[in-house]
Each structure stands twice: as structure tokens, then as C-alpha cells.
Amino acid sequence: MTIVDQRRLLPGQAAAPPGPVDVTSMYVVHHAFRRDLTAFKAAVIGTPLEDRYTWRALAGRWGKFREILHKHHTGEDAGLWPLLMARANSDGRATLEAMESEHAEIDPLLTSCTAGFERLAAYADADARDALEVRMVALKEHLTRHLDHEERDAMALVQRYLVNADWHRLEQEHFKPGYAPRDMPFLASWIMYRLPAEHFDQVRASMAGLPMELLWRLLWRRPFERRERLAFRYV
């Protein structure tokens, strides 16, 4: 059995259990979630209440974050956890049940944060900003704890019970179908944004090879980064 070398951890990553499955795609998405949570928390604190333009940009960008996170969790709930549940022992099944429970805890926080961003995109409401800051802190704590747990324990189950063919099928059937071709410019740029240079080679495969990389470098990267600077201008 070939063991995939995944010892190089991305910033914030809790673990990378060794095994036969190349789960780079999972780890780079987690990196982007962590990066966004930090940026949104700082933006909520630092953006002036009266700056409607920036709050609208933040609300739109938050919608993208929430959509990707929802699709990610849906793919896990519908595909990854059931497959592992059928193969794992009792301890493993307890971990998977915890994964599902943690998703359920995160969903209401996402909903309340969405309402907060929408409110601040429309009105200069100091109480709404204070409430959003509290909810954003709670979301960051819950989601970071969940990602850590998943990387330490759920990914260990992936390496114990799955092979690369299983992972490829899961991506094709449960993760990638949620995205249309029109989503690729944002998704590829979102994944690559502020990714440490030493990890770039790890993500080439998840970008579908050289054509996707060239499109990102030549066409998609600069517009994405320009929009990031507008939304997070006070970070």
C-alpha cells in the first residue's frame, strides 16, 4: 500500500494522518475556511457602520463563503460519512456521529451571521454590528474546533478505511456536482488566495491541471483579488 506524504501542514491545520488517500483537496478547502473566518471577524470589527458600499460587498462575499461551506458539508453528510459509517468500528462510528452533530451546531450560526450581514448592508445599525461580532466569534470557535476534530480523527478514518478510488468517486458524485463551470473562476481563486507558495504543487491536481492553473493566473486571479480588497478594505 502506498502511503501519501502529507506531513506538510497548511497554516492552522491540526493534523494530516498518514495513509493511502490523497486528501489535499480537503485540506486546502479547510485552509480557505480558516482564512475567511479570520478576515470576516476583523472586517465586522473594523468596517465603519456608515460605509454601505463595503458592507454590501461583505454581505455578497459572505454569501459565497456560506454557499461553499454548505456544499462542502452536504457532500460530507450525503457521501463521506455514510461510506465511512458502513466500514468503521464502533469508535469510528462515534466520531462520525460527532461530525454530523457539529455540522448541525454550525448551521444556525451561519444563518444568524447571514441576517447580520444583510442588516448592515442596508442600515448603519450599531446593535446589529455588535450582535454580528458575537455570532462571528462563536462561529469561528465552533467551525475551527470542528475542522480540527475532522482533520485529527475523521481523516484518520478516511486513511484507515478508504483508498484513492473511493475518494475520487466521492469527489465526482458528492462534491464536484455542486459547482457549474461558471463557478470555477471564483472557486479556483478562492482556493489559491494566500495559499503559501510551498504548498502550491499540492493543489495543482485539484485545479484540474495546467489549463485551470493558466486560467487562474492569466484571467481570474486579479479580478478576484481586487474584489477581496474592496470587501476587506478595513482589515
Side-chain angles (χ1 to χ4, degrees):
M1 178 177 67
T2 301
I3 303 298
V4 178
D5 183 2
Q6 295 171 133
R7 291 173 294 178
R8 291 187 300 169
L9 302 185
L10 287 155
Q13 187 176 327
V21 185
D22 184 356
V23 291
T24 298
S25 58
M26 180 70 75
Y27 294 145
V28 296
V29 167
H30 285 192
H31 170 262
F33 288 147
R34 289 185 172 103
R35 179 204 65 218
D36 275 10
L37 286 170
T38 298
F40 277 117
K41 179 184 172 183
V44 169
I45 295 170
T47 301
L49 281 172
E50 67 276 6
D51 189 345
R52 290 282 71 65
Y53 181 82
T54 300
W55 282 109
R56 286 194 291 268
L58 280 168
R61 179 62 170 77
W62 171 259
K64 291 285 191 182
F65 170 85
R66 184 183 181 184
E67 179 184 8
I68 294 172
L69 181 59
H70 173 72
K71 290 177 179 178
H72 183 75
H73 282 179
T74 298
E76 291 176 336
D77 290 339
L80 180 56
W81 307 149
L83 180 60
L84 287 171
M85 190 71 77
R87 302 183 184 183
N89 60 20
S90 58
D91 289 341
R93 290 194 292 273
T95 294
L96 298 168
E97 289 170 357
M99 292 292 105
E100 294 178 338
S101 296
E102 289 165 15
H103 283 184
E105 293 171 358
I106 290 165
D107 286 344
L109 290 170
L110 289 169
T111 299
S112 63
C113 287
T114 299
F117 277 113
E118 290 175 350
R119 175 70 179 177
L120 287 160
Y123 302 101
D125 187 331
D127 289 339
R129 197 250 289 279
D130 291 344
L132 179 57
E133 182 181 344
V134 171
R135 292 162 185 162
M136 187 61 63
V137 169
L139 174 63
K140 190 173 188 296
E141 291 175 353
H142 277 73
L143 185 53
T144 298
R145 187 164 57 245
H146 169 68
L147 296 176
D148 291 351
H149 189 188
E150 185 174 310
E151 288 163 356
R152 286 192 309 266
D153 297 332
M155 290 301 101
L157 297 176
V158 167
Q159 300 297 3
R160 186 180 307 163
Y161 294 111
L162 303 185
V163 296
N164 260 322
D166 295 319
W167 191 257
H168 178 72
R169 180 172 57 80
L170 285 166
E171 288 191 320
Q172 297 301 316
E173 294 181 0
H174 294 284
F175 290 98
K176 291 184 178 179
Y179 298 98
R182 67 178 180 275
D183 299 319
M184 289 303 103
F186 181 90
L187 186 62
S189 302
W190 180 80
I191 287 171
M192 296 301 298
Y193 186 55
R194 294 187 174 173
L195 190 74
E198 63 269 24
H199 294 277
F200 185 79
D201 288 346
Q202 293 176 267
V203 306
R204 274 195 168 95
S206 67
M207 294 180 69
L210 186 60
M212 187 73 75
E213 178 186 341
L214 285 175
L215 286 169
W216 170 69
R217 287 187 181 277
L218 298 177
L219 297 178
W220 301 339
R221 181 178 183 175
R222 289 182 180 177
F224 175 88
E225 292 181 349
R226 184 167 58 251
R227 290 190 295 271
E228 290 293 284
R229 288 193 296 268
L230 290 173
F232 298 104
R233 60 184 301 189
Y234 297 102
V235 173

